[in-house]
Amino acid sequence: MTAQPGTNLRVNGDRLWDMLMEMAKIGPGIAGGNNRQTLTDEDAEGRRLFQRWCEDAGLTMGVDTMGNMFMTRPGTDPDALPVYVGSHLDTQPTGGKYDGVLGVLAGLEVVRSMNDLNIKTKHPIVVTNWTNEEGARFAPAMLASGVFAGVLTQDYAYARKDMEGKNFGDELKRIGWVGDEEVGSRKMHAYFEYHIEQGPILEAEEKQIGVVTHCQGLWWLEFTLTGKEAHTGSTPMNHRVNAGLAMARIMEMVQTVAMDNQPGCVGGVGQVKFSPNSRNVLPGTVIFTVDIRSPEQAKLDGMRARIEKEAGEICAALGVGCSIEAVGHFDPVTFDPTLVASVRKAAEDLGYSHMNIISGAGHDACWAAKVAPATMIMCPCVGGLSHNEAEEISKDWASAGCDVLLRAVLETAEIVG
Ligand code: GLV
Ligand code: MN
Ligand code: MN
């Protein structure tokens, strides 16, 4: 029988917190959070700091051609596949200090705690930083883990453009993080991701740990509406081809569609680009992205079909051109029952309050689940607030989830001795 962790096994919560605060100094935001968007100079600096910490902890780095970072602690069995633990260091333009970063640095803290206690495992442990999870600068989200899982191609990823027209491939090269490993060539024994909840449920239920059983699926639909640029003062109302009005009606319709699919569906618009974006010019072009999500496949796809049909009708009635491109998608995910049970047992053994939860946000774990048994652990965040510089968690919450991560990882990687 494999040795089990002792009942008092814990990570060093102060050390984890210190790492989080140190990383947050790189790419500070304007309101206490972070702007460390993917493939910026700040992203490169954050990567270098993480690399240094990992190498100080005795880990060996591998980097693939998507810039994904894999930091390995060897196991005792040369044939055993590694247990991966990861998330992302990139942030939203007005992001918090914990979304993604917690999962990467908690992986490192797990390894540091194992080093302190001289724990050996049969399977290697690989702490991972996935490139461009956020999708804020380059759509879609979870771009590099999507290529790793074989769902997206590297050519597609390299050609993705930001709002300034710069492409992913050139920017990855510019910051110096194109590695030499073929993407997806690594095989995983299991994948764990620890993340803040980014919603209000755990805090409201006074639970320390979210045992994540599923992740809801998503469509990002990018609309390009074509109207006619014209003077806002001198163009009579019945002469207008108003792409802005079409956008407003579509936004209202998306709200209605999501409300008609309660419970369990969400829909909204987070990004809009008006052209020419001048106060007294009716827009000639409006580009915006509708984000719809649901844990139920039928509801998700039903919402998409209805939105596309009704948007076509809205635009036809206004004489506005409408084209729609799906720029992001994943199906709802069911996480691996054995790993989910291991997380729940770890929380129970530690005496932490816990509950099952469905992830509302997308995560690299959703793509990892395509190629390996995968699961997630969540901790609460204050007021459920995330994708906001005011995102906050407590040190105790952070370290409780990391304790659970340590135990679940050790059970899966199998302690030797
Ligand atoms: C990723 O952060 C998402 O959009 O869920
Ligand atoms: Mn995240
Ligand atoms: Mn995020």
Side-chain angles (χ1 to χ4, degrees):
M1 199 188 128
T2 314
Q4 295 300 314
T7 49
N8 59 353
L9 184 65
R10 298 277 194 285
V11 299
N12 183 333
D14 288 333
R15 185 169 54 193
L16 172 61
W17 194 255
D18 289 347
M19 283 196 286
L20 285 163
M21 294 307 117
E22 231 14 69
M23 185 59 79
K25 291 181 186 159
I26 300 175
I30 49 173
N34 277 107
N35 179 3
R36 202 171 48 246
Q37 290 182 72
T38 198
L39 309 192
T40 56
D41 293 345
E42 291 76 20
D43 181 9
E45 195 183 335
R47 287 164 177 267
R48 284 193 297 272
L49 178 60
F50 174 58
Q51 175 186 0
R52 179 161 65 72
W53 282 339
C54 287
E55 289 177 347
D56 287 350
L59 307 186
T60 311
M61 183 168 77
V63 182
D64 70 17
T65 52
M66 282 296 292
N68 294 319
M69 298 171 68
F70 301 106
M71 318 301 294
T72 300
R73 182 183 200 260
T76 57
D77 179 349
D79 297 325
L81 292 175
V83 173
Y84 285 72
V85 185
S87 197
H88 58 98
L89 293 174
D90 69 318
T91 75
Q92 290 285 328
T94 53
K97 298 191 281 290
Y98 312 99
D99 171 2
V101 189
L102 176 65
V104 177
L105 299 182
L108 175 54
E109 176 50 39
V110 161
V111 163
R112 285 177 145 187
S113 294
M114 289 168 66
N115 290 350
D116 291 347
L117 299 164
N118 199 19
I119 295 174
K120 292 189 173 44
T121 52
K122 173 179 162 191
H123 296 262
I125 314 280
V126 180
V127 186
T128 303
N129 170 38
W130 299 104
T131 303
N132 188 33
E133 189 277 346
E134 290 292 1
R137 185 173 174 207
F138 300 99
M142 298 128 61
L143 183 68
S145 53
V147 177
F148 185 94
V151 185
L152 306 170
T153 67
Q154 180 164 294
D155 286 350
Y156 168 82
Y158 273 27
R160 305 308 295 159
K161 286 195 190 321
D162 68 8
M163 280 292 193
E164 290 173 19
K166 293 181 180 157
N167 76 39
F168 179 96
D170 291 343
E171 285 294 279
L172 181 61
K173 201 162 161 195
R174 185 188 68 76
I175 67 160
W177 278 90
V178 184
D180 53 9
E181 283 186 22
E182 187 191 337
V183 186
S185 54
R186 291 166 169 267
K187 302 291 168 244
M188 299 176 173
H189 178 61
Y191 176 80
F192 286 94
E193 183 160 350
Y194 173 35
H195 207 283
I196 63 167
E197 179 199 338
Q198 307 185 273
I201 299 169
L202 294 174
E203 189 186 34
E205 299 288 328
E206 298 186 1
K207 302 288 192 233
Q208 291 160 292
I209 302 295
V211 179
V212 189
T213 57
H214 298 80
C215 182
Q216 63 179 356
L218 153 158
W219 281 107
W220 279 359
L221 305 173
E222 186 176 278
F223 283 70
T224 304
L225 304 185
T226 315
K228 192 167 174 190
E229 283 173 30
H231 197 297
T232 50
S234 56
T235 313
M237 295 306 279
N238 62 353
H239 277 245
R240 298 178 181 214
V241 186
N242 190 344
L245 177 61
M247 179 209 71
R249 289 187 179 166
I250 291 170
M251 277 193 195
E252 184 70 42
M253 176 269 287
V254 168
Q255 170 80 9
T256 304
V257 170
M259 291 309 291
D260 286 350
N261 280 280
Q262 295 306 304
C265 290
V266 291
V269 174
Q271 187 179 44
V272 176
K273 192 177 173 196
F274 266 54
S275 288
N277 204 25
S278 175
R279 280 182 194 86
N280 45 1
V281 183
L282 294 169
T285 310
V286 179
I287 300 175
F288 63 101
T289 309
V290 170
D291 178 327
I292 51 173
R293 308 192 191 205
S294 174
E296 294 174 51
Q297 185 82 56
K299 279 191 174 176
L300 181 66
D301 293 338
M303 283 203 298
R304 178 185 175 184
R306 183 170 155 201
I307 286 168
E308 291 191 343
K309 177 171 164 291
E310 294 190 14
E313 291 162 4
I314 288 167
C315 290
L318 294 170
V320 167
C322 174
S323 76
I324 305 171
E325 186 191 350
V327 293
H329 171 65
F330 53 91
D331 290 334
V333 176
T334 302
F335 287 121
D336 181 76
T338 306
L339 298 187
V340 171
S342 165
V343 168
R344 190 178 296 112
K345 180 169 184 308
E348 269 160 19
D349 289 350
L350 286 156
Y352 292 144
S353 55
H354 60 89
M355 63 182 283
N356 288 355
I357 194 163
I358 296 174
S359 173
H363 298 287
D364 296 302
C366 299
W367 287 144
K370 291 251 173 218
V371 292
T375 199
M376 297 188 69
I377 300 162
M378 283 183 177
C379 72
C381 58
V382 175
L385 193 63
S386 184
H387 285 189
N388 186 314
E389 293 202 38
E391 178 184 278
E392 205 44 82
I393 64 175
S394 74
K395 193 198 284 192
D396 286 349
W397 288 345
S399 62
C402 194
D403 287 338
V404 171
L405 179 68
L406 171 66
R407 296 179 86 92
V409 165
L410 288 180
E411 189 185 20
T412 309
E414 298 177 38
I415 298 177
V416 175

